[in-house]
Every structure is written in C-alpha cells, then in structure tokens.
Amino acid sequence: MAGSVLVVGLGGTIAMTSTAGGGVAPKLSAQQLVDAVPGLAATGIEVQATTFLNRPGASLGVGDLVELVRIIEASSAAGIVVVQGTDTIEESSYVLDLLHGGDRPVVVTGAMRNPTQAGADGPANLLAAVVIAASPEARGLGCLVVMADEIHAARRVRKGHSTSTAAFASPNGGVLGYLVEGRARFVNRVDGRIRVPLPVGSPSVGVCVATLGDDGATVGVLAERLDGLVVAGFGAGHVPEGWVDGLTAAAKRIPVVLASRTGAGPVLRETYGFAGSERDLLGRGLISSGYLDAYKARVLLHLTLAAGFDRERIAATFAVAGNG
Ligand code: ASP
C-alpha cells in the first residue's frame, strides 16, 4: 500500500501526558504521536504530521474547524487524519463532513486511554486512521471516524460511553466498515451527503432537552436569546404540553428543529396527535431533524445559519441530511 497522508493534531487524550499539578493534559505533538505508532513505516504510506492545536476536545470550536478545513484544502496529501479529543468527535467530524469539499478522505480519530495508561488505544487508532485515509475505497465518503478498528460515517457516529475503548457506535444504520488485517473493509454505504458553504456569520444556536415535568420556562427564555434552537424531544419527537405555545412563538421568529433525545431512530411525522406530539409540533412550523440526533442537528443548524440560509432553505437541507 502507498499514498500520502497528512496527520493534523488538535490535542485530546491521545496527546496527553502527566502534568505537575496532577492529571493529564494535551502536550504531545502530532509528530510525536506518529513516531510512537508501531508498524506505521511497514505500511509504506508516506506520513507528514503537523500540530494545529493542543487542546481538550471540550475547548474546540467551529471557528477552529473552519481553520482546519483551510489546512486540509491547502494540503496535497491523498488523505487527511485529524487527531483530537474524543469528547467532541461526534460533532467536529460532522462539521468537517459538511464543510470539506472534494473526495479526499478525512478521517478523525483519538483515544480513550491516554499514553500513560496500560493498553493505551491511541497508537492502534492512529495506525488504522492512516491506513483508511490512504485507502482508495474511502474516497468520496466524506468525513469518517475511526476508533477501535471500526469505520463510522460522521453523520451517524455517537460517543456512547465515557471511558470504554468501544465508546463509539453508529446506532442508525451501523458501521461503514472495519480495519481487517491492515486493510479497510467497507460493508455498508451512506448516501445523500450534503455540503454547506463556509460560514460568513456566527449564529447562536442552542439545544434544549425535554425532561419529565419541565414547565417550559427554560426553553422560552433560551429561545429568546438564540438565532436557532434544537429541541431534543422525548421518543419520536414529543415535548410536554406546556412547551407548545412557547415553541410555536419561537418557530415564528427563528428556525426551531425537532430531534429525539433517545440517540437513535427518526423523528416521526404523522403518528401521534396529542398537544406536544411530533405531528402537532411540525404543524406549528418546527423543522424535523429526521435521523439526525440533537447534536448533529445543532451542527447543521449552526452551519446553515452561519452560511446565511433562510428558513426554507434550512428546512430543505434538513429534509436531505436527515434522511438516514
Ligand atoms: N476524554 C477525552 C478524549 O478522549 C478528552 C478530550 O476530549 O480532550 O480525548
């Protein structure tokens, strides 16, 4: 196997070492991470490394990822690997999927165990990510997340465990493939990838989660301060009856997207008829997120607003992106 891959370091557990004050914090460069991977030279893949940031995943922002897209676009490598904190991979990978043009693979990876721990998973994840980024089969699939030898579509992947090395899953539709005997094996496809132009604004977009007995006061206050709101409803897209008037008013002023807080499965359209049901809310002007979970929906709403899309275009974009 040959090809060239650029590894861009953003920080995260994979790059963390012990600090004088206790605990671990990001410190290692992308080159140090690459140098620590056994078996990388034997792949024949030409690897270059650059450290863009060294931060925990929690402190990355959309602006950082826009800069990263520019780094990716300026590179002539056949594939790109982004190394970052796993805490925000499910969102950052979707930002990259939406913003990066072209067919070159962009593969995001990280580690659940830091390099000071027994069984640190960083080197294996980085090796797998480099191999997949160099694979012709990965071209045209947008941004992929590779963890624990599994290949996930950015649009579907979720972090479902706070510590396990098997923390990542794609509950809607399953993984796209695996790393097997040092090669990418794709067993599944995802269609209908969309792209959004680079941001020209920085809207304020929030997520409000429906919870048992919530009287709707918080969602009302929140909606007044935002340019776009994602509601993570119960089940197939339901909220307490007391939220309905506030959401109806909000949807007249800003785009309000209805997602499910469950983390898998779609928002329904025409099943339930009670006040606060998905039928009721969609009829009042909320936009369905379809299969996109609330965090992905927030990414898409943020980027479409930032690109200057109006409500109609945002709704049309969600209809495609939320389709599975
Ligand atoms: N636990 C996180 C990680 O896996 C920390 C972070 O996101 O920076 O990298």
Side-chain angles (χ1 to χ4, degrees):
M1 184 181 303
S4 65
V5 168
L6 175 68
V7 175
V8 187
L10 269 55
T13 293
I14 191 169
M16 294 196 191
T17 54
S18 306
T19 67
V24 292
K27 221 187 282 178
L28 301 175
S29 69
Q31 189 63 56
Q32 285 174 302
L33 300 183
V34 166
D35 291 344
V37 177
L40 191 53
T43 63
I45 301 167
E46 183 196 325
V47 178
Q48 286 174 347
T50 180
T51 304
F52 168 47
L53 299 168
N54 229 337
R55 293 201 203 135
S59 293
L60 295 174
V62 173
D64 300 318
L65 299 170
V66 171
E67 293 276 305
L68 175 59
V69 169
R70 295 203 172 100
I71 292 172
I72 291 170
E73 269 155 28
S75 159
S76 57
I80 310 291
V81 170
V82 176
V83 178
Q84 69 153 89
T86 60
D87 287 355
T88 48
I89 279 184
E90 57 195 306
E91 287 156 271
S92 62
S93 61
Y94 193 41
V95 171
L96 296 174
D97 193 56
L98 292 167
L99 294 184
H100 126 80
D103 284 343
R104 285 185 304 161
V106 174
V107 177
V108 186
T109 193
M112 296 300 294
R113 294 184 184 148
N114 71 66
T116 71
Q117 291 176 296
D121 52 334
N125 287 340
L126 184 48
L127 178 62
V130 167
V131 169
I132 287 154
S135 303
E137 299 92 326
R139 285 183 68 81
L141 300 180
C143 184
L144 303 171
V145 172
V146 172
M147 294 287 294
D149 285 350
E150 292 183 337
I151 309 168
H152 301 267
R155 198 203 306 173
R156 293 179 172 171
V157 69
R158 287 188 62 106
K159 184 176 182 181
H161 196 285
S162 59
T163 60
S164 169
T165 52
F168 286 81
S170 292
N172 290 321
V175 298
L176 294 190
Y178 307 91
L179 185 85
V180 181
E181 297 182 325
R183 287 176 185 277
R185 292 285 307 274
F186 285 89
V187 295
N188 203 350
R189 307 293 291 188
V190 63
D191 298 323
R193 175 182 171 216
I194 59 155
R195 296 188 192 155
V196 177
L198 288 176
V200 290
S202 47
S204 202
V205 179
V207 176
C208 202
V209 183
T211 51
L212 181 77
D214 187 305
D215 63 6
T218 308
V219 71
V221 173
L222 195 62
E224 278 169 25
R225 305 178 58 141
L226 295 172
D227 303 307
L229 171 67
V230 175
V231 173
F234 302 114
H238 305 155
V239 299
E241 190 171 349
W243 286 35
V244 172
D245 289 347
L247 289 181
T248 307
K252 292 199 168 92
R253 193 180 69 77
I254 56 172
V256 180
V257 174
L258 180 63
S260 168
R261 72 174 201 174
T262 62
V267 168
L268 292 178
R269 299 209 141 266
E270 52 190 12
T271 299
Y272 293 95
F274 55 85
S277 69
E278 85 289 345
R279 256 178 89 105
D280 182 36
L281 297 172
L282 298 177
R284 291 169 184 273
L286 275 70
I287 297 165
S288 173
S289 75
Y291 276 91
L292 294 177
D293 68 40
Y295 308 121
K296 310 280 186 202
R298 183 184 170 276
V299 164
L300 185 59
L301 184 55
H302 180 103
L303 291 180
T304 49
L305 282 168
F309 287 18
D310 62 16
R311 192 200 170 281
E312 204 179 326
R313 198 164 166 203
I314 290 171
T317 305
F318 268 91
V320 178
N323 211 13

